[in-house]
Amino acid sequence: MPESLTGLKRTNYCGELRAADCGREVTVCGWVQRQRDLGQLIFIDLRDRTGIVQLAFGDKTDREVFQKAFAARAEFVLAARGTVRERSAKNAELPTGDIEIEVEELRVLAKSETPPFAIEEKTDVKEDLRLKYRYLDLRRPEMQRKIIGRHRIVKAARDYFDENGFLEIETPNLIKSTPEGARDYLVPSRMFPGSFFALPQSPQLYKQLLMLSGYDRYMQVARCFRDEDLRADRQPEFTQIDFEMSFVSQDDVMAIAEGFIKDVYQKVLDLEIQTPLRRMTWHEAMNRFGSDKPDLRFGMELTDVSEALKNTEFRVFAGALSAGGSVRGINLKGQADALSRKEIDKLGEWVKSYGAKGLAWTRLASGGETSSYEKFLAPEEAAAVRKALGAEAGDVLFLVASGENKVVFDSLGALRKELAGRFGLIDDSKPCLLWVTDFPLFEYSKEENRFVAMHHPFTMPREEDLGKLESDPGSVLAIAYDMVLNGNELGGGSVRINRPDIQERMFQALGFTPEQAQERFGFLIDAFRYGAPPHAGMAFGLDRLVMLMLGCDSIRDVIAFPKVASSAELMSSAPTGVDPKQLEELGISLLKKD
């Protein structure tokens, strides 16, 4: 039968004991990593979140204690009291490898069945199995370091913002649904039949209202929810380090954000980040890297070859240019012999997922030059493309043509990152951080057949673009800024609209009638009439920040209980159906969907 801990108090964590503790009586608690039975001697490696310590049982050990040690198995929960002594066979791979505990009292607090996978530092167990038994996976030292690292990053954030005059204020998790952007998670209300709360996609409106309320520096470690379509490394619930400031400009917010990044890297990784960070406009980032979150750890920049092909008769390129698009390319230097024709064909299929109709290429291999498009060009056109791309023997040139520049950017931007990863071109020696600024205020949605806000509808347009809100919304730039780390968006923000007239014009540009704007956002519009200070802010994605700082491959590795790509939680099998009585109380009936 499991024993009680009554009368026995833990004095130390397993991983903190050292040679200086020899001679001390200590009590440790934890899980059995492994038991080694050598006949007259038994050793148990006991593990907790700080590490492992060896428990020793020998001829001087009480017989009952020795029998308990003999019966102990992996993942049994033990409490052990004894004296720290020097090990005869030291283990240089363990921080506690110079000592062991000569056990005098042992209690079996809980027994364990054989776990479905070994609780080890590294594992090749499939992720689905790890997530099904997440409480076991979280015992692994590798996972515990990540979760503890997350704690340290959150603590550093709270300390930094507190030291800079920010107040942590909680905003509601049950709010009004304001569908604009990603889908809301809706929450039915028993007290208001037929009405629904929504879970917040961000604290955006409430933090702006806090600025109106006079709390000029706000921050929050905020839980957010988005009912998005399936994406491999997105979570339906996630955490932001959110902050807002009054009486400031874009530069003030960026300085605070840079200070935080510098501080958290120093405290958590003892790494110095040089500030101020580089700045790049959205248009420069798209033209050079095909992405608004450019990875500058390698070259292979995009080159616009449209001018060289302006008179081409090749239908693929001519059609793209006549439709107002472009032909652009990248040069994979020196890899022509390493990239086979079959692999190039696979890349051509791969870029179709980004909207491209295919991939044009020229391979300047040592065994001969081959090209999918040069035979359709005039010699001077082919030569001009090669010159523009800086082609040399051994290079592979890739071109994408489309009547939509977005397709060209998306395709080549993704291909650039894929090739850099495949051929080891990325310099991982230090974090590469920069700001991307001057985003378009709007982007056109084919799905909705209207302009939508690129960030959100509360972003201030540049003052010089205000006159174009109605006449040419596609050309209006926003006072918005994203921080990018190693090709990943780390956080984003903007200067907010604080004038009712501009906010109303913004809603009109998005296609809202005055009645619709009032229905969805009336409380904010009304609040602006009572003295709204200039304000701005941003939010860091905490999950992504932790993932990148700790060098993880997936945000699921830094979230204690994550969801999978389908938004399901494998451990608890959520979501599930509910009792019909619950639906009846809420006044909800379900429609059958194919």
Side-chain angles (χ1 to χ4, degrees):
M1 290 290 292
E3 298 173 274
S4 167
L5 194 58
T6 303
L8 203 60
K9 182 177 177 61
R10 179 167 66 177
T11 62
N12 294 88
Y13 281 97
C14 295
E16 66 185 20
L17 295 170
R18 298 292 185 271
D21 296 301
C22 285
R24 285 185 55 214
E25 182 178 277
V26 298
T27 299
V28 293
C29 302
W31 286 260
V32 175
Q33 182 67 25
R34 65 171 179 156
Q35 183 250 41
R36 303 187 302 284
D37 179 6
L38 306 181
Q40 298 300 313
L41 294 173
I42 294 175
F43 296 103
I44 291 176
D45 288 344
L46 195 68
R47 181 193 74 243
D48 64 18
R49 66 181 172 91
T50 65
I52 288 174
V53 69
Q54 179 169 282
L55 308 181
F57 307 82
D59 53 4
K60 296 181 181 179
T61 304
D62 177 84
R63 191 65 187 166
E64 183 181 350
V65 171
F66 194 89
Q67 286 300 318
K68 289 180 184 178
F70 176 77
R73 296 293 178 264
E75 301 312 307
F76 276 30
V77 183
L78 306 180
R81 179 181 60 80
T83 302
V84 179
R85 70 184 186 191
E86 187 177 359
R87 280 176 69 160
S88 56
K90 294 180 171 57
N91 184 348
E93 295 182 3
L94 283 180
T96 61
D98 290 340
I99 58 95
E100 63 188 11
I101 300 174
E102 183 180 13
V103 177
E104 299 162 20
E105 182 178 1
L106 184 70
R107 297 190 191 180
V108 180
L109 304 178
K111 295 183 178 182
S112 173
E113 297 179 6
T114 302
F117 53 84
I119 311 301
E120 297 174 332
E121 178 71 23
K122 299 291 183 180
T123 182
D124 58 2
V125 175
K126 289 184 178 180
E127 186 182 43
D128 282 3
L129 184 63
R130 290 172 47 214
L131 292 177
K132 180 175 174 61
Y133 296 94
R134 186 62 162 182
Y135 43 86
L136 297 179
D137 189 43
L138 286 171
R139 291 183 190 174
R140 295 192 303 113
E142 179 186 16
M143 288 303 302
Q144 292 191 333
R145 280 195 300 274
K146 292 171 183 176
I147 299 303
I148 292 168
R150 181 185 178 110
H151 157 78
R152 294 181 63 201
I153 290 169
V154 172
K155 183 180 185 303
R158 285 193 159 107
D159 290 347
Y160 172 81
F161 283 102
D162 177 63
E163 290 162 6
N164 283 275
F166 287 78
L167 303 172
E168 183 166 8
I169 304 175
E170 294 179 349
T171 54
N173 278 339
L174 294 175
I175 67 171
K176 177 185 177 68
S177 178
T178 54
E180 178 67 17
R183 294 182 183 88
D184 288 332
Y185 274 104
L186 299 178
V187 181
S189 170
R190 182 177 58 85
M191 301 300 292
F192 299 92
S195 295
F196 295 82
F197 292 106
L199 299 179
Q201 296 185 32
S202 85
Q204 183 62 44
L205 299 183
Y206 287 94
K207 69 178 183 177
Q208 288 192 247
L209 290 169
L210 285 169
M211 297 302 102
L212 273 71
S213 303
Y215 300 95
D216 64 307
R217 288 196 168 199
Y218 140 95
M219 74 83 60
Q220 183 181 189
V221 180
R223 297 291 284 169
C224 304
F225 308 84
R226 290 179 188 170
D227 190 5
E228 294 186 302
D229 292 336
L230 308 187
R231 298 179 74 171
D233 211 28
R234 289 284 183 95
Q235 291 286 299
E237 53 179 320
F238 55 97
T239 308
Q240 292 183 173
I241 299 173
D242 200 64
F243 70 97
E244 197 80 4
M245 306 167 68
S246 293
F247 310 109
V248 292
S249 68
Q250 168 179 287
D251 289 341
D252 296 314
V253 177
M254 294 166 81
I256 285 289
E258 288 180 0
F260 164 62
I261 289 298
K262 187 179 182 74
D263 185 71
V264 75
Y265 264 93
Q266 183 65 53
K267 287 179 178 175
V268 177
L269 298 180
D270 194 25
L271 190 63
E272 184 71 22
I273 298 294
Q274 296 299 317
T275 55
L277 302 182
R278 175 179 179 174
R279 298 188 185 189
M280 180 181 295
T281 68
W282 180 87
H283 282 95
E284 181 185 353
M286 297 303 293
N287 282 309
R288 291 179 60 190
F289 303 100
S291 172
D292 57 6
K293 39 186 181 293
D295 193 337
L296 306 189
R297 294 175 297 169
F298 59 96
M300 215 189 316
E301 296 186 18
L302 277 62
T303 300
D304 190 347
V305 296
S306 303
E307 181 65 23
L309 298 167
K310 62 183 179 181
N311 297 316
T312 187
E313 295 181 4
F314 180 36
R315 188 172 56 185
V316 174
F317 294 165
L321 297 176
S322 65
S326 62
V327 185
R328 299 172 195 253
I330 57 175
N331 183 348
L332 177 63
K333 302 292 293 183
Q335 300 295 338
D337 291 333
L339 196 62
S340 69
R341 169 65 187 273
K342 185 176 180 180
E343 289 174 308
I344 291 175
D345 289 342
K346 285 182 179 178
L347 290 171
E349 290 299 311
W350 181 74
V351 297
K352 290 180 180 178
S353 64
Y354 294 90
K357 292 181 179 179
L359 193 60
W361 55 270
T362 293
R363 183 167 167 259
L364 306 176
S366 58
E369 298 181 357
T370 52
S371 176
S372 69
Y373 65 87
E374 288 190 348
K375 61 185 176 183
F376 302 109
L377 302 182
E380 61 273 17
E381 291 172 342
V385 170
R386 288 194 182 195
K387 181 179 180 181
L389 289 168
E392 299 173 315
D395 295 349
V396 187
L397 313 181
F398 294 102
L399 273 64
V400 171
S402 175
E404 297 179 61
N405 282 328
K406 183 180 186 305
V407 170
V408 179
F409 290 142
D410 290 350
S411 303
L412 286 178
L415 180 63
R416 173 181 176 268
K417 291 186 70 173
E418 170 67 19
L419 293 171
R422 185 179 298 193
F423 290 99
L425 306 180
I426 298 172
D427 177 9
D428 271 328
S429 60
K430 57 183 179 180
C432 182
L433 286 142
L434 76 150
W435 288 105
V436 176
T437 64
D438 297 331
F439 284 79
L441 188 64
F442 303 103
E443 57 186 340
Y444 193 79
S445 170
K446 288 184 177 179
E447 208 174 291
E448 300 189 37
N449 196 31
R450 67 178 178 94
F451 280 105
V452 296
M454 181 169 276
H455 278 74
H456 54 63
F458 316 106
T459 298
M460 181 71 84
R462 292 197 310 182
E463 189 170 351
E464 58 267 36
D465 290 343
L466 280 173
K468 298 185 288 186
L469 264 178
E470 291 81 11
S471 60
D472 189 12
S475 69
V476 177
L477 298 184
I479 311 176
Y481 35 86
D482 281 2
M483 186 183 288
V484 176
L485 170 60
N486 297 346
N488 296 272
E489 180 193 336
L490 198 57
S494 64
V495 172
R496 321 302 189 187
I497 297 171
N498 70 311
R499 286 171 43 187
D501 60 324
I502 296 178
Q503 188 64 73
E504 288 170 356
R505 289 175 64 192
M506 179 71 171
F507 288 141
Q508 288 169 10
L510 290 168
F512 293 178
T513 66
E515 293 74 23
Q516 288 172 327
Q518 187 65 31
E519 166 62 25
R520 293 185 183 186
F521 304 106
F523 62 97
L524 182 70
I525 298 170
D526 293 344
F528 281 173
R529 296 190 175 97
Y530 293 94
H535 57 285
M538 68 176 290
F540 288 100
L542 174 63
D543 310 303
R544 188 170 292 144
L545 173 63
V546 177
M547 177 189 77
L548 294 170
M549 285 187 65
L550 301 186
C552 303
D553 295 326
S554 167
I555 60 172
R556 291 187 292 278
D557 285 343
V558 298
I559 298 172
F561 299 101
K563 308 291 191 294
V564 293
S566 66
S567 299
E569 188 200 286
L570 300 185
M571 187 188 69
S572 67
S573 299
T576 61
V578 297
D579 192 301
K581 185 178 179 182
Q582 292 175 273
L583 295 178
E584 185 179 341
E585 287 180 337
L586 293 166
I588 292 176
S589 62
L590 301 180
L591 298 175
K592 288 186 178 180
K593 285 187 72 175
D594 294 334

